[in-house]
């Protein structure tokens, strides 16, 4: 089969669409998917650069989410059949013509969503639902601050926050991106270049009940300063570094909490697993996607043979939401 290979670690030029070994038959509880499209994530860019190795046992091929059609089911798979249109959360291997996925990480392509756009959903849906709802318990009337509101994760989180009845504040790096965040449901718009989010959120509300953070170290103290009483900070990215000093007194006096989570390295099954998250996503979030309340936000569709031109789009001022690689015609 064909897949994206890495000629060493480095810039987009190390990416190539090349022949690789065919996959084995799916094992117990697994399915093989003929990939229609693969979502691009910041994690793929980090893995390409040599900074984010796949977890033990995962494919070395990039790609944490796909959409496609089931080609073959392995022993013991009851709920899915060859021919079913699905999207899947993966630990790797998505940038390819075919991928093997655990059946427990499949979701049906939601009503009204194209097969290509469905590739933009699993990673954002699982990350956002597990952090905002399963970890932080976000609910109606609360204030949610999302850093990087125009990112793949951020655009999904805005819509989920609004659907749950939260008041949504976002940070982004340009007015154009903030305008798009407003269209998606954010009401407090903060340009991180020239506005201080601590001041804006503290002045407009009495702090944030939940913060979804992608910056890590560089924002830690200011995030804690922004929390409301009993507020929860969920850190999912370390774009501003992995280390920081924190005045715990600020957290203690607010009875706040800090969670730092990772989706890719979660176990497939058991408490806190990917299967547990996908079950919750299908039950609670998928109806919101099917009725159009939460939409996949796809900024660009790029043929996978041009993968080297797709990765830089993540840093383009024009990109809001996700970039998707198209692998074959739906
Ligand atoms: N832990 C997990 O399980 C998990 C899962 C998925 C994703 N993530 C993490 O979540 C983050 C977003 O992922 P993605 O795939 O959606 O990436 P992405 O679309 O490439 O988004 C990255 C975002 O970072 C924003 N940003 C850069 N500097 C910023 C700053 N100083 N303040 C606020 N925002 C800033 C950019 O916003 P502007 O363009 O407006 O500057 C951009 O929207 C990444 O860090 C990724 O590693 C973690």
């Amino acid at each position: 089969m064909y897949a994206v290979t890495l000629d060493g670690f480095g810039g987009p030029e190390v990416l190539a669409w090349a022949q690789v070994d065919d996959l084995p038959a799916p094992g117990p509880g697994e399915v093989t998917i003929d990939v229609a499209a693969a979502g691009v994530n910041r994690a793929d860019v980090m893995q390409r650069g040599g900074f984010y190795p796949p977890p033990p046992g995962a494919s070395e091929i990039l790609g944490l989410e796909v959409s496609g059609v089931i080609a073959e089911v392995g022993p013991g798979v009851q709920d899915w059949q060859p021919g079913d249109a699905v999207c899947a959360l993966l630990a790797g291997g998505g940038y390819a013509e075919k991928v093997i996925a655990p059946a427990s990480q499949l979701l049906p392509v939601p009503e009204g969503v194209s097969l290509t756009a469905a590739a933009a959903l699993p990673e954002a849906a699982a990350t956002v639902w597990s952090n905002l709802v399963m970890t932080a318990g976000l609910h109606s009337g609360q204030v949610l601050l999302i850093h990087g509101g125009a990112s793949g994760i951020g655009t999904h989180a805005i819509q989920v926050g609004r659907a749950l009845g939260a008041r949504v504040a976002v940070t982004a790096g340009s007015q154009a991106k903030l305008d798009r965040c407003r269209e998606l449901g954010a009401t407090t718009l903060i340009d991180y270049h020239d506005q201080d989010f601590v001041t804006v959120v503290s002045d407009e509300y009495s702090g944030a009940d939940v913060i979804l953070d992608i910056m890590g170290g560089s924002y830690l103290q200011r995030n804690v300063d922004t929390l409301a009483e009993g507020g929860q900070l969920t850190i999912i990215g370390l774009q501003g570094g992995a280390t920081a000093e924190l005045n715990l007194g600020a957290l203690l006096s607010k009875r706040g909490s800090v969670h730092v989570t990772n989706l890719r390295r979660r176990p497939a099954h058991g408490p806190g697993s990917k299967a547990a998250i996908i079950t919750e996503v299908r039950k609670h979030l998928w109806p919101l996607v099917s009725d159009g309340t939460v939409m996949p936000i796809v900024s660009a569709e790029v043929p996978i043979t041009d993968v080297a031109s797709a990765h830089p789009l993540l840093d383009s001022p024009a990109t809001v939401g996700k970039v998707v690689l198209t692998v074959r015609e739906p």
Side-chain angles (χ1 to χ4, degrees):
M1 69 168 186
Y2 273 74
V4 171
T5 58
L6 290 180
D7 182 17
F9 296 123
E13 68 284 353
V14 302
L15 300 165
W17 183 241
Q19 198 154 15
V20 299
D21 291 343
D22 282 338
L23 294 174
E30 294 178 336
V31 307
T32 302
I33 300 169
D34 282 333
V35 176
V40 177
N41 288 280
R42 177 70 41 184
D44 307 338
V45 174
M46 288 156 53
Q47 185 172 335
R48 185 199 75 208
F51 307 111
Y52 193 49
S59 170
E60 292 287 325
I61 296 169
L62 303 186
L64 301 178
E65 57 186 346
V66 294
S67 60
V69 174
I70 295 181
E72 196 180 347
V73 301
V77 174
Q78 309 274 347
D79 302 337
W80 303 97
Q81 322 285 337
D84 285 348
V86 294
C87 51
L89 180 69
L90 307 168
Y95 285 20
E97 286 183 306
K98 287 176 182 287
V99 69
I100 292 176
S104 54
Q105 289 170 216
L106 301 182
L107 289 155
V109 172
E111 229 171 278
V113 173
S114 72
L115 190 57
T116 301
L121 286 170
E123 178 76 13
T127 301
V128 167
W129 197 263
S130 60
N131 283 284
L132 293 189
V133 180
M134 297 170 73
T135 298
L138 181 70
H139 56 80
S140 183
Q142 288 193 313
V143 175
L144 167 65
L145 170 62
I146 300 163
H147 289 299
S151 65
I153 294 292
T155 50
H156 197 87
I158 293 169
Q159 299 178 81
V160 169
R162 285 293 289 181
L164 294 171
R167 292 171 287 172
V168 180
V170 294
T171 60
S174 72
Q175 192 55 49
K177 289 195 173 189
L178 290 170
D179 288 344
R180 192 73 184 96
C181 292
R182 186 200 293 115
E183 288 166 11
L184 293 172
T187 49
T188 302
L189 310 167
I190 305 162
D191 186 332
Y192 64 75
H193 290 300
D194 53 26
Q195 286 177 288
D196 175 26
F197 65 82
V198 187
T199 310
V200 175
V201 175
S202 306
D203 285 356
E204 194 160 334
Y205 313 99
S206 49
D209 300 295
V210 177
I211 301 177
L212 185 64
D213 176 57
I214 59 174
M215 297 308 292
S218 63
Y219 275 13
L220 181 61
Q221 185 67 56
R222 286 197 288 152
N223 275 331
V224 168
D225 292 344
T226 309
L227 286 177
E229 272 194 40
Q232 304 192 58
L233 167 61
T234 56
I235 301 173
I236 61 163
L238 304 175
Q239 293 177 199
T243 58
E245 196 170 290
L246 173 66
N247 175 358
L248 287 169
L251 202 57
L252 183 142
S253 63
K254 293 176 177 178
R255 304 178 314 286
S257 47
V258 180
H259 313 268
V260 190
T261 71
N262 175 269
L263 180 63
R264 191 183 193 183
R265 286 177 183 269
R266 285 179 186 259
H269 295 282
S273 64
K274 291 177 186 165
I277 293 169
I278 292 296
T279 299
E280 290 297 291
V281 163
R282 186 167 181 179
K283 190 168 164 194
H284 300 290
L285 177 50
W286 241 225
L288 299 173
V289 180
S290 292
D291 74 13
T293 305
V294 176
M295 296 176 297
I297 306 301
V298 178
S299 190
E301 293 177 12
V302 180
I304 199 161
T305 46
D306 291 339
V307 59
S309 64
H311 271 203
L313 292 178
L314 257 55
D315 294 315
S316 158
T319 300
V320 172
K322 304 275 299 195
V323 173
V324 165
L325 300 166
T326 52
V327 178
R328 56 164 69 74
E329 286 299 313

